[in-house]
Amino acid sequence: MLAHIQREHSINKIFLSCLGLWPFQSKLARSLIPICYLAIEISYYPLEVLMIYDHWKDTRLLFDCGSQLVLLTTFVAKLLNELLNHDKIQSLYETMDNHWNIFKSESELQILKNYSTISRKFTIFYALMMYSMVTIFILIPLTPVFLDIIWPLNESRPRLFAVAVELRIDQEKYYTPVFCYNISIIVLGVIIMVGVDSIYVVCTAHACGLFSIISQQFEEVLSKLDIAKQVSKYERCLNEKFKLSSEKEMYQQYIICLKKYQLALEFVNILNSIYQVIALFLLLLNGITISLVGIRVVYILGQLKEVARFGFIIIGMLVQLMIICYSGQKLMDESQNVFYQAYAVKWYKFSPRLKSLLIITLYRSIVPSGLTAGNMVPLSMATYATVVRAALSYFTTFLSFKE
């Protein structure tokens, strides 16, 4: 099952299996693993609310809790979206796998292979980056523990946690279990981010590959038609029957290209229907998280280790936002190439029925296919810039509350 996907994207299969999101896992694994992830992540909400209640007048802790709540909501939202759209996602994977059987010429397979290689390299790089950052994020609070072992003092150094937590217990006495619970929230959240974001990139890269194939084929077919017309112009004695058969063959090739174009459009529609709601949610959450964590950094500018830790969170949010927006931008650019290829030909030399097909192609491709947030905001680099500008505006607003 999904032989092509498992061959090209075996790493993504491992990440999804760890989340219980691989569609062909056992039913028990698909039910139990995501529920465990959700239960652990959601269990942190009451603790955050409790900390806000206990430290209502502490502005620094309020910003701390706010950023943690938004970040936690991001993890939960990503996982819930995958669970709620399980049937669509399974259909999407099956469609991707089937495309390897439909687009089966050497040039088509090479393009699909190139894009799958790009997405695989991205998955490896993204996973290494995120896991490296979360490792450093976790190890920095353990510095006092390491120093007590290497360079002990007359008394133990104060114990730190990866993120602020309030349990109304003696946290020095129960430091180990509380710290383990603390980091489990972060580690599981990063596992969710890596698994979901990487498969999102795989799907958009596959869609880009489809549009790249189609624009290339349109260029080939239309250039052949143009060449055939030029040949018939200078060779008056060319057999009329041969010209008709040649044009009929080109017409059939054009029809095949249109059918493949339709497959690509259907794939993008499914992909967009899965991620359009969560994309809008994530745009808002990322902007808020960057602002709140930025305020948190202002409070600790003199503490290099803490600045580095929270700087990793900002970098992670910016990278995640970049993934969402750049994938949409790349898909939009590849789909626009279909229009440019059709628009550049000498259409006035074609027969009436070929002109009618070309008009259909131009009419559909003039509006680029892409991904949207909430079916309202196109996911593009312009949207990325807008969200970052908004985050900076919120940052300056929140900064005024600090002062």
Side-chain angles (χ1 to χ4, degrees):
M1 292 178 288
L2 302 185
H4 300 293
I5 301 298
Q6 293 189 59
R7 183 189 69 243
E8 299 294 330
H9 307 294
S10 55
I11 300 174
N12 299 95
K13 179 191 171 182
I14 294 171
F15 289 154
L16 292 175
S17 298
C18 291
L19 292 168
L21 298 178
W22 181 249
F24 299 103
Q25 283 178 273
S26 66
K27 190 174 181 180
L28 179 63
R30 285 189 285 110
S31 302
L32 190 59
I33 297 175
I35 289 174
C36 290
Y37 274 80
L38 282 174
I40 294 171
E41 294 292 328
I42 291 174
S43 69
Y44 210 71
Y45 278 106
L47 304 181
E48 293 288 347
V49 174
L50 186 63
M51 189 159 62
I52 291 173
Y53 179 79
D54 288 345
H55 303 279
W56 181 251
K57 295 182 179 181
D58 190 331
T59 309
R60 182 184 64 82
L61 273 176
L62 285 180
F63 280 114
D64 212 358
C65 292
S67 62
Q68 290 172 190
L69 278 171
V70 175
L71 198 58
L72 186 62
T73 303
T74 301
F75 299 151
V76 173
K78 282 177 176 288
L79 188 54
L80 277 176
N81 183 68
E82 297 293 310
L83 291 175
L84 294 175
N85 290 287
H86 173 266
D87 293 337
K88 286 184 179 180
I89 291 172
Q90 181 174 341
S91 173
L92 192 73
Y93 296 163
E94 291 171 346
T95 303
M96 285 175 61
D97 195 72
N98 193 40
H99 286 161
W100 286 83
N101 298 321
I102 296 173
F103 297 81
K104 54 187 179 181
S105 71
E106 186 177 346
S107 60
E108 291 173 341
L109 290 176
Q110 186 58 50
I111 292 174
L112 289 179
K113 185 77 175 177
N114 290 341
Y115 276 94
S116 67
T117 300
I118 291 171
S119 60
R120 182 167 60 252
K121 288 180 179 179
F122 166 82
T123 300
I124 295 171
F125 173 77
Y126 183 56
L128 288 174
M129 183 187 71
M130 295 303 294
Y131 290 139
S132 298
M133 288 198 301
V134 79
T135 300
I136 297 172
F137 188 85
I138 292 169
L139 288 177
I140 289 176
L142 290 174
T143 304
V145 178
F146 295 142
L147 289 175
D148 282 343
I149 297 171
I150 300 169
W151 186 18
L153 301 175
N154 292 331
E155 58 181 13
S156 297
R157 293 175 174 84
R159 297 296 186 248
L160 303 175
F161 293 98
V163 292
V165 62
E166 180 65 66
L167 293 176
R168 290 185 177 179
I169 61 174
D170 188 345
Q171 296 187 1
E172 292 288 334
K173 182 179 179 181
Y174 299 100
Y175 176 75
T176 301
V178 173
F179 185 82
C180 290
Y181 172 68
N182 197 260
I183 64 172
S184 68
I185 300 296
I186 302 169
V187 172
L188 294 182
V190 172
I191 291 173
I192 293 170
M193 283 180 62
V194 171
V196 174
D197 290 348
S198 59
I199 196 63
Y200 170 81
V201 170
V202 165
C203 293
T204 51
H206 181 80
C208 289
L210 297 181
F211 284 117
S212 179
I213 290 170
I214 291 157
S215 62
Q216 183 184 80
Q217 291 187 345
F218 272 133
E219 181 184 15
E220 291 174 358
V221 172
L222 294 173
S223 62
K224 286 179 183 178
L225 282 167
D226 195 23
I227 291 170
K229 290 295 179 182
Q230 290 179 13
V231 170
S232 63
K233 178 180 178 181
Y234 295 107
E235 296 183 8
R236 303 294 184 182
C237 59
L238 192 65
N239 186 281
E240 188 68 25
K241 185 177 180 181
F242 174 77
K243 288 193 294 183
L244 290 173
S245 64
S246 177
E247 184 175 313
K248 184 178 180 181
E249 182 182 349
M250 296 299 178
Y251 182 82
Q252 293 301 323
Q253 289 182 19
Y254 198 97
I255 291 291
I256 293 171
C257 289
L258 283 179
K259 289 180 178 179
K260 290 181 177 180
Y261 186 36
Q262 184 63 34
L263 290 176
L265 294 174
E266 290 172 358
F267 181 82
V268 173
N269 288 337
I270 297 172
L271 183 62
N272 190 46
S273 67
I274 294 170
Y275 291 106
Q276 63 180 351
V277 175
I278 188 66
L280 179 61
F281 200 51
L282 290 177
L283 290 180
L284 296 172
L285 290 179
N286 276 291
I288 295 171
T289 303
I290 293 168
S291 303
L292 292 175
V293 175
I295 293 294
R296 184 69 176 88
V297 171
V298 170
Y299 278 102
I300 53 173
L301 282 177
Q303 305 172 38
L304 183 59
K305 293 178 183 178
E306 292 299 300
V307 171
R309 286 176 66 233
F310 288 100
F312 286 147
I313 296 178
I314 294 177
I315 292 171
M317 292 297 100
L318 288 173
V319 170
Q320 187 182 152
L321 186 61
M322 175 69 76
I323 289 169
I324 296 171
C325 295
Y326 181 75
S327 298
Q329 182 68 59
K330 182 65 177 175
L331 182 57
M332 193 183 300
D333 293 342
E334 289 291 351
S335 69
Q336 278 186 318
N337 286 337
V338 176
F339 173 79
Y340 295 145
Q341 295 297 342
Y343 183 77
V345 300
K346 298 178 181 178
W347 56 268
Y348 48 85
K349 295 182 178 180
F350 298 161
S351 63
R353 65 175 185 171
L354 282 173
K355 286 179 184 177
S356 64
L357 289 182
L358 190 61
I359 290 171
I360 293 171
T361 307
L362 290 170
Y363 182 77
R364 177 57 190 87
S365 59
I366 194 171
V367 178
S369 296
L371 305 175
T372 60
N375 208 23
M376 297 180 292
V377 182
L379 295 178
S380 62
M381 294 309 295
T383 302
Y384 177 84
T386 301
V387 173
V388 172
R389 282 198 302 268
L392 292 175
S393 300
Y394 293 142
F395 171 76
T396 55
T397 302
F398 291 144
L399 195 60
S400 65
F401 289 124
K402 172 186 176 295
E403 296 169 353

